[in-house]
């Protein structure tokens, strides 16, 4: 593929509706969502995408019933247990974006181990946004800069866009070129708000459990047909 997006970010939406259509509990949909994710990570790595970020759990998802919340975290553990060896074999480097250090200690321990195992890998960087909120991320960044300003190390007028970017969760990860949202919802829902300023957005009606590597390729083809001007004029 030519003109590949370096960074693809995905809002994996529609697990609940997928399950409801089959008269199954919502967690059944999340489980199928995990299966879809496994295939998409493999496909992204095979296609040669450098960064893949997925929205697994938002700062707003705590409003869901406890059973669903704990089920999603359980699935995350299942995912890591099942996939870590293969991710490592495929040279994938795992990253976590969000306020994850205060989550359940079992989750934190599993994630720390997975991050440590894959830290030197040089292939696809697979970022899981977990307990993530774009506004929350900006608050963290702004606070870090405000602390420097309060300590007299930085003048407010010296604050730049780069400094805000440098204090986000993963400053070395480039902004997403392509943001995909499944399930027909047309909004960002607090996902990568700062980083998606010039991202190409692709919305598909496909529910996340039905999102296949072919759907990913279709979204990339759509991306490749767009002209990206970043605010410049058409030549
Ligand atoms: C949105 O669908 C999906 C989520 C909030 C959770 C995503 C979780 C997974 C794909 C499970 C596996 C995750 C990992 C990292 C292994 P929804 O529940 O809002 O669907 P709905 O809008 O149809 O109700």
């Amino acid at each position: 593929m030519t003109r590949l997006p370096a960074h693809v970010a995905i809002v994996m939406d529609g697990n609940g509706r997928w399950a409801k259509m089959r008269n199954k509990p919502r967690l059944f949909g999340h489980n199928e969502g995990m299966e879809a994710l496994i295939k998409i990570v493999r496909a992204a790595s095979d296609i040669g995408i450098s960064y893949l970020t997925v929205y697994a759990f938002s700062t707003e998802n705590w409003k869901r019933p406890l059973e669903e919340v704990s089920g999603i975290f359980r699935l995350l553990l299942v995912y890591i247990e099942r996939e870590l060896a293969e991710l490592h074999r495929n040279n994938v480097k795992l990253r976590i974006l969000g306020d994850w250090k205060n989550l359940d200690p079992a989750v934190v321990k599993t994630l720390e181990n997975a991050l440590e195992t894959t830290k030197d890998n040089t292939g696809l960087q697979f970022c899981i946004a977990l307990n993530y909120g774009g506004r929350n991320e900006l608050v963290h960044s702004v606070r870090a800069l405000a602390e420097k300003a309060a300590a007299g190390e930085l003048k407010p007028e010296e604050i730049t866009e780069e400094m805000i970017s440098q204090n986000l969760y993963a400053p070395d990860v480039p902004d997403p070129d392509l943001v995909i949202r499944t399930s027909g919802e047309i909004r960002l829902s607090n996902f990568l708000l700062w980083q998606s300023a010039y991202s190409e957005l692709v919305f598909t009606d496909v529910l996340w459990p039905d999102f296949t590597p072919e759907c990913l390729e279709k979204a990339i083809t759509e991306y490749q047909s767009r002209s990206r001007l970043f605010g410049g004029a058409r030549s």
Side-chain angles (χ1 to χ4, degrees):
M1 276 198 196
T2 54
R3 211 165 75 83
L4 263 186
H7 184 178
V8 176
I10 310 182
V11 182
M12 310 182 286
D13 196 9
N15 295 345
R17 275 162 286 168
W18 189 92
K20 195 167 182 208
M21 282 162 64
R22 290 159 179 80
N23 288 317
K24 299 278 191 189
R26 294 177 57 79
L27 270 175
F28 184 77
H30 292 313
N31 190 62
E32 285 303 307
M34 178 186 71
E35 299 295 341
L37 178 62
I38 289 171
K39 294 186 193 113
I40 292 303
V41 175
R42 278 183 203 145
S45 177
D46 290 348
I47 292 170
I49 286 164
S50 302
Y51 303 85
L52 173 72
T53 302
V54 297
Y55 207 2
F57 193 86
S58 77
T59 45
E60 289 73 37
N61 287 151
W62 294 107
K63 294 178 200 155
R64 295 184 180 215
L66 182 62
E67 190 191 321
E68 182 175 350
V69 170
S70 39
I72 292 175
F73 282 104
R74 230 179 7 256
L75 272 180
L76 174 69
L77 296 184
V78 169
Y79 173 79
I80 301 283
E81 225 155 82
R82 251 179 71 181
E83 291 300 302
L84 182 60
E86 163 149 355
L87 291 173
H88 191 37
R89 215 173 22 252
N90 290 336
N91 200 21
V92 175
K93 178 172 175 166
L94 188 72
R95 314 275 304 254
I96 309 291
L97 315 184
D99 277 355
W100 62 277
K101 297 265 172 72
N102 294 325
L103 294 171
D104 182 278
V107 172
V108 174
K109 198 164 162 244
T110 301
L111 293 177
E112 279 173 344
N113 172 55
L115 295 178
E116 178 63 25
T117 305
T118 62
K119 73 177 191 318
D120 295 324
N121 289 344
T122 55
L124 172 74
Q125 296 208 23
F126 173 39
C127 313
I128 301 181
L130 191 66
N131 198 17
Y132 174 89
R135 289 183 173 183
N136 194 30
E137 183 177 33
L138 278 168
V139 168
H140 279 292
S141 175
V142 169
R143 270 192 199 148
L145 297 175
E147 275 167 20
K148 281 197 178 145
E153 294 164 20
L154 180 68
K155 292 195 186 109
E157 63 271 22
E158 288 170 352
I159 294 174
T160 61
E161 291 186 7
E162 279 67 35
M163 286 181 200
I164 293 179
S165 295
Q166 282 309 308
N167 284 281
L168 300 177
Y169 291 121
D172 56 303
V173 173
D175 291 343
D177 301 290
L178 168 62
V179 177
I180 301 168
R181 182 169 187 148
T182 58
S183 91
E185 304 296 337
I186 305 180
R187 59 179 168 270
L188 284 175
S189 299
N190 208 8
F191 188 47
L192 303 176
L193 293 183
W194 177 269
Q195 300 90 325
S196 63
Y198 281 101
S199 302
E200 295 300 324
L201 309 179
V202 170
F203 298 98
T204 167
D205 287 340
V206 173
L207 302 175
W208 175 251
D210 292 329
F211 192 84
T212 59
E214 289 70 36
C215 301
L216 176 65
E217 280 170 23
K218 198 170 155 214
I220 293 174
T221 304
E222 163 81 39
Y223 164 84
Q224 287 167 329
S225 75
R226 307 260 179 101
S227 34
R228 301 187 78 194
L229 302 170
F230 298 95
R234 228 165 266 280
S235 54

